Amino acid sequence: MTTNASQIDLKSVNVIKGLIMDTVRASNSGHPGGAMSSADYAYVLFKEFLNFDPKDAKWFNRDRFVLSAGHESALLYALLTLRGILSVDDLKAFRQFGSKTPGHPEHDMTDGVEATTGPLGQGFAMSGGMAVAETFLRAYLDAETAGHHTYVLVSDGDVQEPIFLGSAALFGQWGLGKLIAYYDSNKIQLAGPTCRVDNVDYKALFESMHWQVIEIDGHDHEAIRQAILAGQAETAKPTIIIGHTTMAKGCATLEGSESTHGSPLPEAEIKATKAKLGLPDEEFHLPADVLAHFRSRFEALSASRAAWDKALAAKLADPAFADKWKNATQPACERSLTWPEFETGASVATRKAFGASLNAMMEQLPTLMGGSADLDPSNQTEKFRVTAGIFNATTNPTGRNLCFGVREFPMGAILNGLALHGGIVPFGATFLVFSDYERNAIRMSALQHLPVLHVFTHDSFFVGEDGPTHQPIEHVSSLRLIPNLLVLRPADARESTACMAVALKQKSRPSVLVYTRQGLPVLDLPQPLEAHVAKGAYVVRDPEGTAPETLLLASGSEVHLAVEAAKALPEMKIRVVSVPSMELFDEQSAEYKESVMPRSVSRRVAIEAGRSDLWYKYVGLDGKVWGIDHFGASAPAGVLKEKYGFTAANLIAFIKGE
């Protein structure tokens, strides 16, 4: 293989490889091999093609670059050092506590990092979400204001993850012409050669999924240039450039070895490799001529940004454009929406209340985008699909419904990409039991502080005849364990809209909204309801004329049972507390918590159609919880309700200790 590069380009790539080796060696931890095999492509892309503002890493119209192969972070950090975002001292602090150079890239920690990548395949999926956002905003605003490319670098490990191929099928279906992926095919992974586990013809596979596929020598700079240009020229299909490379390219004796994948190179190997590459025997060598050469485009890039600013200022004089710009740049948390109303006493499934809320949001949030994982009628997203239109980059770029198909995990990661890009309010829906498929993407929403709306319907054994495979038991409790995630389980239709309003107010965390299949009575709840829900738990009913002697806590479909039981047991002086969000309640002041759940009231009971474990933090070890800690069964929901004791009569007996 040849680099086909000028002397200064070759020197620059070799300097980057030296920085990679030294960075990983300094921390005695990391992945040098893949970073070195990808260095030629990444250098050409950053040096010659990537459009960005050298002084503003957050510029709205910048090209996005996602390192899906997050273990190659030393490569990205070396490039960001050449850009001037990071310093050599940052490289020396690689993988150390509090540094800007963590082991895998984290977007909210380091400027120039567009996505937190680590779990393989998700960076690729998120890059497609970014490309969807760019496509929509380009059509919604104009190509000059929002007309950029999304580039993503993937590895052999990425392509082996099922989320990768599920996402790739969607991106070809959607015609994302401004998405350009580079597959660094060095054919080595941690355990050894990829031929042991993978014999897929990726060229044929991606062509079958409506991608433009270009195969090149991944170390040939001219081939890289021509491939990127061809990717930019193709506007109806996404492009994948398959770069055939050598693992740890340039190493003195370890080229092609799996031992370079996840371990620092030995010091003797680094010394010999630097000699082979024409580098001095010193650590973190970064010569002035390489910096000057890499930054030779900066003046032109800054001028391009200035021209963009001037054009935007002129467009903002048009009220219609200014309104669209506000829609694309004002976070949802800053907007005040109106919500549907429901009649007290009516029976409304909370999933239907979500559908009504979605329809209201659709009209008031012009950049709301999302869809369902092939469950439109059940998830109540069907009207959104029909009214907002099905997104396709070539036929309907302003369509706002994303048809995900049965791809829950790709859906969740794509939503993260929409949020990372900015300008979009993303949501996705499926059944709660399938949150297990989506879970790691939800975790990545929380880790990246992204205000994504993850919607789940059919939230308990009340799913009924579909049986235990479709009846979530542990899922709500399991989701409550994820840090920085709000789980909202509303009691009725009114609390459903309040929960959605609270979710939209979040600036830096995602929300899981959990809705019922079955109808629930619309309750007479205290007002202002959104303010109560925002505190996570609040008093729904108190005994008349006296202080409470029993606390009865419930969430979701069990709140109305708690109210019925309290009415039937006036002698027990029961306070009913709705707990739509444990996370929000736990964040409240000690004074508020005491006002809702007084420590003086020791007789406590909780009920929820799910795992009982987490409720003991509120009722104590001496308290009682009516939950379900076993799998369900296939039977009508009404039968299961009786069998599992989720009735007012059984709750009354349970409270009384009968």
Side-chain angles (χ1 to χ4, degrees):
M1 292 184 178
T2 175
T3 63
N4 193 18
S6 69
Q7 287 300 311
I8 186 62
D9 284 332
L10 179 59
K11 179 179 180 180
S12 297
V13 171
N14 289 343
V15 165
I16 289 170
K17 291 179 179 179
L19 292 175
I20 291 167
M21 291 186 290
D22 291 338
T23 296
V24 176
R25 183 72 262 175
S27 71
N28 197 31
S29 174
H31 302 74
M36 294 175 75
S37 69
S38 301
D40 289 292
Y41 173 81
Y43 167 75
V44 172
L45 176 66
F46 271 67
K47 168 65 175 64
E48 301 181 22
F49 290 94
L50 201 67
N51 188 28
F52 57 90
D53 182 346
K55 297 180 180 178
D56 180 7
K58 305 295 186 184
W59 177 37
F60 183 84
N61 199 36
R62 68 192 182 277
D63 285 342
R64 271 64 170 177
F65 171 78
V66 177
L67 183 68
S68 189
H71 54 281
E72 296 185 11
S73 59
L75 169 61
L76 179 56
Y77 298 149
L79 290 164
L80 293 180
T81 301
L82 267 62
R83 263 184 66 173
I85 291 176
L86 295 176
S87 67
V88 168
D89 284 341
D90 291 319
L91 298 182
K92 292 178 179 178
F94 182 55
R95 291 182 165 230
Q96 304 309 302
F97 183 80
S99 77
K100 296 179 182 179
T101 50
H104 289 77
E106 297 183 33
H107 90 98
D108 54 341
M109 183 175 290
T110 311
D111 282 347
V113 173
E114 298 288 358
T116 297
T117 52
L120 289 171
Q122 286 201 60
F124 175 77
M126 288 187 283
S127 74
M130 295 178 190
V132 169
E134 182 277 334
T135 300
F136 173 83
L137 292 170
R138 176 162 33 99
Y140 181 68
L141 297 169
D142 60 58
E144 184 181 26
T145 304
H148 48 271
H149 285 87
T150 301
Y151 300 92
V152 56
L153 192 159
V154 301
S155 65
D156 290 296
D158 284 289
V159 303
Q160 291 172 22
E161 286 286 358
I163 186 177
F164 181 89
L165 295 182
S167 301
L170 289 173
F171 303 156
Q173 173 80 12
W174 294 341
L176 298 178
K178 288 211 164 189
L179 175 62
I180 300 176
Y182 176 76
Y183 169 21
D184 182 63
S185 179
N186 60 45
K187 302 173 182 64
I188 292 292
Q189 54 198 101
L190 182 64
T194 60
C195 61
R196 296 173 178 170
V197 298
D198 196 354
N199 64 0
V200 173
D201 181 343
Y202 284 100
K203 183 176 188 298
L205 177 61
F206 272 82
E207 286 177 341
S208 75
M209 293 190 293
H210 305 287
W211 283 65
Q212 174 180 229
V213 183
I214 303 169
E215 289 193 278
I216 63 170
D217 174 345
H219 301 301
D220 185 326
H221 287 206
E222 185 57 29
I224 292 168
R225 290 186 189 96
Q226 293 306 314
I228 295 173
L229 288 170
Q232 292 177 340
E234 173 57 71
T235 59
K237 298 178 181 179
T239 295
I240 185 164
I241 302 166
I242 302 176
H244 297 285
T245 62
T246 300
M247 187 69 159
K249 177 66 174 177
C251 272
T253 67
L254 294 177
E255 271 194 356
S257 171
E258 63 266 27
S259 68
T260 68
H261 174 84
S263 301
L265 300 180
E267 291 183 5
E269 180 73 12
I270 293 174
K271 183 174 182 177
T273 299
K274 286 181 177 179
K276 177 182 175 182
L277 298 177
L279 298 174
D281 185 17
E282 64 179 62
E283 293 185 350
F284 297 98
H285 176 65
L286 184 54
D289 60 337
V290 167
L291 278 177
H293 179 65
F294 186 86
R295 298 175 183 179
S296 60
R297 269 198 315 141
F298 280 20
E299 185 175 343
L301 289 171
S302 295
S304 176
R305 166 64 191 273
W308 183 88
D309 285 340
K310 184 176 180 181
L312 177 63
K315 292 170 190 174
L316 289 173
D318 174 6
F321 181 89
D323 187 56
K324 288 185 175 182
W325 179 250
K326 182 179 180 181
N327 289 333
T329 55
Q330 182 185 43
C333 62
E334 298 177 3
R335 310 185 201 188
S336 179
L337 307 183
T338 58
W339 300 98
E341 297 182 357
F342 302 93
E343 182 180 352
T344 301
S347 178
V348 181
T350 56
R351 64 170 171 148
K352 293 188 176 180
F354 159 68
S357 297
L358 178 62
N359 296 336
M361 292 159 60
M362 172 174 58
E363 301 299 328
Q364 299 174 78
L365 296 174
T367 61
L368 177 72
M369 292 189 78
S372 169
D374 197 46
L375 291 167
D376 290 343
S378 298
N379 289 156
Q380 301 293 300
T381 58
E382 192 167 23
K383 184 176 180 181
F384 180 83
R385 184 193 69 210
V386 173
T387 307
I390 295 174
F391 170 84
N392 184 278
T394 55
T395 61
N396 189 21
T398 56
R400 294 192 279 151
N401 185 87
L402 298 171
C403 294
F404 293 107
V406 189
R407 299 183 180 95
E408 295 88 356
F409 191 9
M411 176 178 72
I414 290 166
L415 297 178
N416 290 341
L418 290 169
L420 285 164
H421 182 280
I424 303 297
V425 180
F427 80 93
T430 185
F431 287 173
L432 177 59
V433 76
F434 301 134
S435 64
D436 280 346
Y437 286 154
E438 192 181 347
R439 184 179 180 87
N440 202 266
I442 297 170
R443 182 177 186 270
M444 293 300 289
S445 293
L447 184 63
Q448 296 181 90
H449 303 278
L450 303 177
V452 176
L453 305 174
H454 297 282
V455 176
F456 297 104
T457 67
H458 296 59
D459 74 337
S460 72
F461 68 82
F462 281 96
V463 170
E465 291 87 345
D466 276 341
T469 62
H470 280 55
Q471 294 170 10
I473 301 300
E474 74 279 18
H475 297 71
V476 171
S477 286
S478 177
L479 289 165
R480 286 171 176 153
L481 299 178
I482 298 177
N484 196 45
L485 178 69
L486 287 190
V487 179
L488 296 145
R489 186 170 186 251
D492 72 347
R494 288 173 175 163
E495 206 176 81
S496 295
T497 60
C499 283
M500 182 60 74
V502 168
L504 285 171
K505 289 289 194 299
Q506 303 308 309
K507 296 180 180 180
S508 59
R509 58 182 168 186
S511 298
V512 162
L513 297 121
V514 182
Y515 299 111
T516 65
R517 177 198 187 198
Q518 75 277 19
L520 299 177
V522 178
L523 303 173
D524 185 10
L525 299 173
Q527 300 297 319
L529 187 55
E530 181 183 336
H532 288 297
V533 169
K535 293 182 177 180
Y538 62 98
V539 178
V540 169
R541 186 182 189 276
D542 256 340
E544 292 186 12
T546 184
E549 295 180 359
T550 304
L551 292 184
L552 180 50
L553 316 178
S555 84
S557 52
E558 287 62 67
V559 173
H560 78 95
L561 296 179
V563 172
E564 289 181 47
K567 289 179 180 178
L569 297 170
E571 71 279 8
M572 300 196 73
K573 300 176 183 178
I574 296 174
R575 167 177 285 185
V576 177
V577 177
S578 176
V579 189
S581 173
M582 289 185 175
E583 300 79 26
L584 288 172
F585 183 67
D586 291 346
E587 293 171 2
Q588 301 309 306
S589 67
E591 292 76 14
Y592 180 77
K593 293 177 185 177
E594 175 67 16
S595 72
V596 175
M597 302 180 192
R599 284 172 290 180
S600 59
V601 182
S602 59
R603 187 164 59 192
R604 300 184 176 204
V605 179
I607 178 172
E608 183 176 60
R611 291 284 303 192
S612 60
D613 312 58
L614 293 183
W615 287 95
Y616 285 99
K617 68 178 176 177
Y618 299 133
V619 303
L621 294 178
D622 294 328
K624 301 167 67 176
V625 181
W626 190 263
I628 177 168
D629 297 321
H630 56 80
F631 293 119
S634 178
V639 173
L640 296 179
K641 178 177 71 172
E642 296 290 337
K643 292 289 186 182
Y644 297 153
F646 283 83
T647 64
N650 186 70
L651 180 59
I652 290 167
F654 183 65
I655 295 169
K656 292 169 67 177
E658 296 177 352

